[in-house]
Amino acid sequence: MAAPMQRAWLGLLRPAVPAARSYEARPRPPWGGVYRPAPDDPFAPKWQLQPAYEAKLYGRHGSASGVDPAQLWPSPAKLQEMEAEEREWYPGLREMEAALDKKEQEEERRRVEREKLIAANMAKMPQMIEDWRQEKVAREEKEREDKARRERLLAKAQELFGHKVDHRSTKFQELVQEMEKKERKELKLKKKQLKEEAKKAAAAAPEAVSVSAGGAEPV
């Protein structure tokens, strides 16, 4: 009774168990022999088919491994590649010393230039502060003049429109802008006239000096 029940349970469990992959163990070498996988063996690990494995076998078993030591040396092209890589990533002592000297010289040059720049800026600092103060005074004076002119124009515009007019209205602002434009134009014309008069006076001064000098008669 127990045997049929056990077979029935095994029959139910068999579909749930995946099929196991067949395992083929590598052939066991004879005593003292060396195992070298065949190149066409599909089950051989890839690392056992590389030159590093051949070098490992030769290093462990020597000539008994059957490995030709001449094949373990890199080819001329590979050797040049290795030398170039070694020069790039592992420079010699003199090259490292030269690189360090060059780096120190560059850092020293930058330090000297930075100190010169700081010294030059510190020497200019008093004049820069004085220029800033003068600019600040001139700017504040101009702001006061603009404010006074603005208040004067506003007062003049209020006289035309009356004191009850809203100074924020568009018409009032347009009138003020027109008055400012007219005043700037008159000021520009006045400066031009003064400049022309100064030129005429400068031109007439040498003539008056020459006439006075030439008209003098000796006694």
Side-chain angles (χ1 to χ4, degrees), residues 121-183:
N121 291 334
M122 292 300 295
K124 296 178 182 178
M125 188 64 67
Q127 184 62 37
M128 293 172 64
I129 295 174
E130 183 63 24
D131 294 343
W132 174 78
R133 288 177 178 174
Q134 292 180 2
E135 291 177 0
K136 182 180 179 182
V137 171
R139 185 172 60 254
E140 292 176 352
E141 182 66 22
K142 187 176 182 302
E143 290 177 356
R144 285 194 296 268
E145 292 178 356
D146 293 343
K147 184 178 180 181
R149 185 175 66 254
R150 188 76 174 175
E151 292 177 353
R152 185 175 67 255
L153 293 174
L154 287 174
K156 191 180 294 185
Q158 286 179 352
E159 290 180 0
L160 296 175
F161 280 93
H163 293 282
K164 294 182 180 180
V165 68
D166 186 7
H167 65 278
R168 293 171 297 181
S169 63
T170 305
K171 190 173 182 181
F172 183 81
Q173 295 295 332
E174 291 177 355
L175 177 63
V176 173
Q177 291 178 3
E178 187 67 26
M179 294 173 66
E180 286 182 347
K181 189 184 297 184
K182 184 178 179 182
E183 185 174 334

Side-chain angles (χ1 to χ4, degrees), residues 37 45-57 72:
K46 292 183 179 180
W47 65 272
Q48 292 183 355
L49 302 176
Q50 296 177 357
Y53 183 70
E54 297 286 321
K56 182 178 181 180
L57 290 178
L72 302 179

